[in-house]
């Protein structure tokens, strides 16, 4: 599954996440293709953390931007789902019990109408979903990778692309620690971790970009029974909020029933995330609440803003740590402390967090770690959610920061995700074209179809 630099490849794919893998699969056997991946395995962050497959055209995709009708997107998503099933994804499907879904939709509607007009807003977006789990997703991705490699695609793992240059003859030169790779086409699928790096190299060869929105939020952990009733119907329920104080938009994201909260590193800083195993469950459920932030006057680099928020939050955790706070402390305006973090008198013994206090996880006050407007929005979103799901705002509920999703750089592309630089295609979350595994996979397929069309093989 590795390859040395060759004289010239037809296509170099940068990144072996869902976008890169599905682009490679669509090109396999038709052109000479190599996939360069910085990590020692394929699958990307989403497929390697929890493996949620959202099978709705309204989640993870901007159909207008991609020029897709709902019908076409639905057909393509169904085909992507079949590929995952062929390689071992669990066939259990959530979001198909329409009677129970309607019950939840009615409940959300009832809560909305019980609140003051214009004061709160909450919407539930139902979707068909599969859950592979961190443990099963590894095997599914490995089988998919082997299948693609068996059709002639080369993989070079632990190959970090440091530079991308456009040659006089229109080909691309990609520099890595393993040598130089040349190609006629490039599909850039750098993922969220590689978003900032790729933005800079893409600009260096003339790609047009603009700043988009960024998601800044928190990870919430509750006792599993609190959330069980809805996650048995919708594995990853998607709630959308408009907060009353500022009128901002927030949403729930990446729900993990029986899951665990964990730390992930980005550029030397700590972020919080969550996942769930398929076979081993915890007594808790975690999910994110994300606040979408745009900067218009003045227009600013939202990626850099996210990095500063991440750095500042770690600072309040002691310099290099997450900040964690009990909901009871947050509502009382108090800093969480190690000596009272499990206090029975305060009700904090009702839920033991899956991410224990210690190096990298510091009890504190998120209102110091985050801008006040974002804290207001996160607090109000959880309060509104508690009107739909009682118990979510229990004093023992635990809030972790920072959780930031970096997919804010936008690229000008055509129907097949080709940029203004001829033969440079982009795909996936890291270039702002998707949010999630299925959307990224669809991006990869579109990019591959664009290349094949230019080759007269479409």
């Amino acid at each position: 599954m590795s390859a040395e630099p060759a004289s010239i490849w037809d296509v170099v794919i940068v990144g072996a996440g869902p976008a890169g893998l599905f682009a490679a699969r669509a090109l396999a056997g038709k052109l000479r293709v190599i996939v360069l991946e910085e990590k020692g395995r394929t699958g990307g962050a989403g497929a390697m953390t929890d493996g949620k497959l959202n099978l709705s055209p309204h989640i993870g995709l901007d159909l207008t931007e991609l020029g897709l009708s709902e019908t076409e997107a639905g057909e393509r998503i169904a085909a992507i789902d079949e590929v995952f099933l062929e390689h071992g994804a669990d066939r259990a499907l959530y979001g198909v019990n329409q009677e129970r879904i309607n019950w939840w939709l009615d409940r959300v509607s009832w809560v909305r109408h019980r609140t003051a007009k214009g004061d709160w807003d909450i919407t539930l977006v139902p979707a068909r979903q599969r859950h592979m789990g961190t443990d099963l997703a590894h095997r599914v991705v490995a089988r998919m990778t082997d299948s693609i490699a068996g059709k002639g695609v080369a993989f070079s793992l632990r190959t970090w692309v440091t530079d991308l240059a456009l040659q006089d003859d229109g080909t691309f030169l990609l520099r890595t620690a393993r040598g130089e790779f040349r190609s006629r086409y490039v599909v850039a699928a750098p993922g969220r971790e590689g978003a900032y790096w790729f933005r800079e190299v893409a600009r260096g060869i003339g790609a047009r970009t603009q700043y988009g929105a960024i998601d800044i939020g928190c990870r919430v952990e509750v006792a599993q029974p609190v959330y069980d009733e809805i996650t048995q119907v919708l594995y990853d329920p998607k709630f959308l909020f408009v907060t009353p104080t500022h009128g901002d938009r927030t949403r729930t994201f990446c729900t993990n029933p029986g899951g665990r909260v964990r730390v992930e590193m980005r550029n030397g800083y700590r972020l919080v995330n969550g996942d769930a195993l398929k076979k081993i469950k915890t007594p808790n459920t975690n999910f994110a609440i994300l606040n979408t932030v745009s900067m218009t006057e003045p227009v600013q680099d939202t990626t850099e803003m996210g990095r500063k928020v991440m750095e500042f939050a770690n600072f309040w955790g002691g310099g290099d740590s997450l900040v964690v706070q009990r909901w009871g402390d947050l509502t009382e305006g108090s800093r969480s402390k190690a000596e009272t973090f499990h206090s029975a008198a305060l009700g904090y013994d009702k839920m033991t967090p899956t991410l224990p206090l210690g190096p990298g996880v510091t009890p504190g006050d998120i209102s110091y770690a985050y801008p006040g407007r974002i804290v207001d929005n996160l607090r109000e979103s959880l309060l509104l959610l508690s009107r739909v799901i009682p118990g979510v705002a229990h004093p023992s509920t635990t809030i972790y920061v920072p959780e930031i999703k970096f997919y804010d750089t936008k690229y000008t592309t055509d129907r097949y995700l080709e940029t203004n630089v001829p033969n440079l295609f982009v795909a996936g979350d890291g270039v702002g074209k998707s949010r999630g595994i299925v959307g990224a996979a669809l991006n990869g397929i579109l990019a591959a179809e664009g290349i094949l069309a230019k080759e007269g093989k479409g």
Side-chain angles (χ1 to χ4, degrees):
M1 283 178 51
S2 64
E4 296 300 320
S7 55
I8 187 166
W9 295 85
D10 291 324
V11 185
V12 168
I13 298 173
V14 180
L21 287 177
F22 273 79
R25 184 176 182 274
L27 295 169
K30 300 169 184 175
L31 296 171
R32 295 185 65 248
V33 180
I34 185 169
V35 181
L36 308 182
E37 168 57 50
E38 178 182 354
K39 294 181 173 60
R41 44 81 179 164
T42 60
M48 289 295 102
T49 53
D50 193 54
K52 294 185 188 72
L53 304 179
N54 285 301
L55 305 176
S56 166
H58 301 294
I59 295 177
L61 292 167
D62 185 331
L63 300 184
T64 300
E65 180 182 4
L66 295 175
L68 295 174
S69 68
E70 183 174 339
T71 299
E72 181 184 359
E75 292 171 350
R76 287 177 175 274
I77 288 170
I80 290 167
D81 185 33
E82 281 300 318
V83 173
F84 279 103
L85 291 174
E86 288 170 9
H87 292 91
D90 191 338
R91 291 188 173 272
L93 192 61
Y94 295 84
V96 294
N97 187 333
Q98 196 58 51
E99 181 179 353
R100 293 300 297 161
I101 291 172
N102 288 340
W103 186 91
W104 280 104
L105 291 171
D106 289 343
R107 181 172 179 80
V108 170
S109 179
W110 180 82
V111 167
R112 184 188 299 118
H113 287 98
R114 289 276 294 180
T115 56
K117 185 177 181 181
D119 192 28
W120 298 88
D121 191 18
I122 180 171
T123 304
L124 174 62
V125 181
R128 295 165 61 251
Q129 298 164 328
R130 295 192 196 279
H131 174 239
M132 292 187 288
T134 307
D135 40 0
L136 178 60
H138 282 76
R139 296 200 296 272
V140 173
V141 169
R143 291 168 184 159
M144 191 180 301
T145 304
D146 289 343
S147 173
I148 295 168
K151 296 177 181 178
V153 174
F155 285 80
S156 185
L157 305 182
R158 296 187 177 87
T159 302
W160 177 33
V161 179
T162 58
D163 190 33
L164 172 64
L166 185 60
Q167 305 294 93
D168 291 340
D169 62 357
T171 62
F172 297 93
L173 177 67
L174 297 93
R175 297 185 178 90
T176 79
R178 292 194 171 191
E180 297 180 343
F181 295 79
R182 290 183 60 209
S183 67
R184 296 192 296 120
Y185 298 94
V186 167
V187 177
R192 296 173 192 165
E193 289 186 19
Y196 185 81
W197 163 81
F198 179 69
R199 184 186 74 179
E200 298 308 302
V201 300
R203 285 177 174 175
I205 60 172
R208 288 196 292 268
T209 66
Q210 58 185 343
Y211 302 126
I214 193 170
D215 285 331
I216 300 175
C218 64
R219 178 68 45 173
V220 179
E221 189 168 30
V222 300
Q224 185 174 359
V226 170
Y227 232 61
D228 259 358
E229 190 174 2
I230 191 166
T231 56
Q232 289 172 0
V233 179
L234 298 166
Y235 184 87
D236 181 14
K238 304 292 186 182
F239 288 99
L240 310 179
F241 312 95
V242 177
T243 61
T245 300
H246 304 292
D248 293 336
R249 296 185 180 276
T250 64
R251 71 185 195 280
T252 60
F253 178 81
C254 186
T255 303
N256 298 294
R260 57 190 181 177
V261 177
R262 59 186 187 81
V263 179
E264 63 180 30
M265 300 300 297
R266 180 184 173 91
N267 298 326
Y269 297 102
R270 282 182 168 84
L271 289 169
V272 63
N273 209 333
D275 69 358
L277 301 174
K278 196 69 177 178
K279 294 184 178 180
I280 303 174
K281 298 297 181 182
T282 74
N284 297 347
T285 290
N286 68 78
F287 57 92
I289 297 178
L290 299 179
N291 187 162
T292 300
V293 179
S294 300
M295 301 185 72
T296 54
E297 293 293 338
V299 175
Q300 293 281 1
D301 184 340
T302 40
T303 295
E304 188 60 29
M305 179 191 68
R307 293 173 70 177
K308 291 183 183 299
V309 171
M310 176 173 61
E311 179 181 2
F312 193 65
N314 279 191
F315 170 82
W316 280 103
D320 62 349
S321 179
L322 303 179
V323 175
V324 58
Q325 188 173 20
R326 293 286 192 176
W327 177 255
D329 291 329
L330 179 61
T331 56
E332 291 294 324
S334 303
R335 177 175 65 89
S336 286
K337 302 176 182 178
E339 55 267 30
T340 58
F341 200 73
H342 299 282
S343 168
L346 296 172
Y348 297 167
D349 61 331
K350 303 303 181 184
M351 193 275 289
T352 300
T354 55
L355 186 60
L357 303 182
V361 184
T362 303
D365 189 340
I366 68 169
S367 66
Y368 281 94
Y370 263 12
R373 180 166 180 156
I374 292 177
V375 175
D376 288 345
N377 289 336
L378 299 178
R379 182 193 295 113
E380 290 171 356
S381 298
L382 190 62
L383 282 173
L384 181 52
L385 183 61
S386 72
R387 300 186 184 189
V388 176
I389 305 176
V392 166
H394 188 272
S396 65
T397 293
T398 304
I399 314 294
Y400 304 81
V401 300
E403 175 143 355
I404 303 174
K405 302 305 181 188
F406 291 87
Y407 31 41
D408 53 292
T409 301
K410 298 292 186 180
Y411 294 78
T412 301
T413 58
D414 69 3
R415 170 71 165 73
Y416 296 105
L417 304 183
E418 185 176 13
T419 68
N420 62 289
V421 178
N423 301 332
L424 173 63
F425 293 75
V426 296
D429 290 16
V431 295
K433 296 295 183 180
S434 65
R435 296 189 180 189
I437 295 171
V438 174
L442 198 158
N443 279 188
I445 294 170
L446 289 176
E449 289 175 356
I451 292 172
L452 293 174
K454 296 187 79 167
E455 291 287 300
K457 299 182 179 183

